[in-house]
Amino acid sequence: MEKIQEFKGLGGMLNGFRDLVKDDKKIIFVGSPGFCTPFALFLGYPVREKEMAFIPGLEKENMRRIISTECGLELADPCSFDADTVVILGGMAMPKIGVTAEEMAAFLSQMSYKRLIGVGFMSIFQNSGWADALKFDIIMDLIIDGHLYR
């Protein structure tokens, strides 16, 4: 894949994501339960006027709409299984989650969508082989450095 944009920090991540989905009406995030949920809510914040949903793992029966409240974004009631864009969060490609690229491809074949975006950290999709196995339109790959000070 060729690099099409570079950005810095969390603000750059949010602005980049907002620009990617600016023309979409409905976005579905697919991620590991717990770990990926806050990332879906974080990414969804700058596009909170759009229809969004989160699927924990490959459990479409547990899919929940993402709504905007006075406390931020939250998971709400069940909703439909189709979207303009599906965003696979990198936690799904982590070996300890136990989902293969083939299982994800089979899961995606049940959905109706126009674009597939991967959002992950430290080249998880490339290192796991998912970048080659799935037909991503875009992969947003991030590296966040951190430090502790006393």
Side-chain angles (χ1 to χ4, degrees):
M1 299 185 99
E2 75 174 285
K3 185 188 292 184
I4 59 172
Q5 183 181 359
E6 192 168 316
F7 49 86
K8 301 276 185 207
L10 297 176
M13 175 185 177
L14 292 179
N15 290 335
F17 184 75
R18 183 192 65 224
D19 293 345
L20 279 176
V21 299
K22 68 179 179 227
D23 297 325
D24 296 332
K25 289 183 174 58
K26 183 174 181 185
I27 303 159
I28 294 178
F29 296 92
V30 180
S32 61
F35 183 76
C36 289
T37 311
F39 287 104
L41 301 178
F42 180 68
L43 286 167
Y45 191 76
V47 293
R48 58 194 172 277
E49 72 284 352
K50 296 184 180 293
E51 187 179 354
M52 293 181 288
F54 179 76
I55 301 174
L58 302 180
E59 301 173 13
K60 68 180 179 183
E61 65 278 0
N62 289 327
M63 182 168 113
R64 296 291 181 262
R65 204 163 48 97
I66 297 173
I67 60 168
S68 182
T69 72
E70 64 279 354
C71 296
L73 296 184
E74 299 178 13
L75 299 180
D77 53 318
C79 58
S80 69
F81 194 55
D82 59 326
D84 295 312
T85 294
V86 172
V87 177
I88 298 176
L89 299 167
M92 291 301 293
M94 293 173 61
K96 68 180 179 180
I97 298 303
V99 175
T100 67
E102 294 75 26
E103 289 170 321
M104 179 57 75
F107 181 75
L108 292 171
S109 72
Q110 302 171 45
M111 301 176 75
S112 173
Y113 60 92
K114 298 173 189 165
R115 284 192 315 155
L116 183 63
I117 297 175
V119 177
F121 294 92
M122 301 176 69
S123 303
I124 185 64
F125 293 117
Q126 294 86 342
N127 294 337
S128 66
W130 283 37
D132 295 324
L134 299 175
K135 296 190 184 302
F136 286 108
D137 293 289
I138 300 275
I139 291 179
M140 178 182 274
D141 185 45
L142 302 123
I143 297 173
I144 297 178
D145 292 326
H147 308 277
L148 292 177
Y149 296 98
R150 183 179 308 243

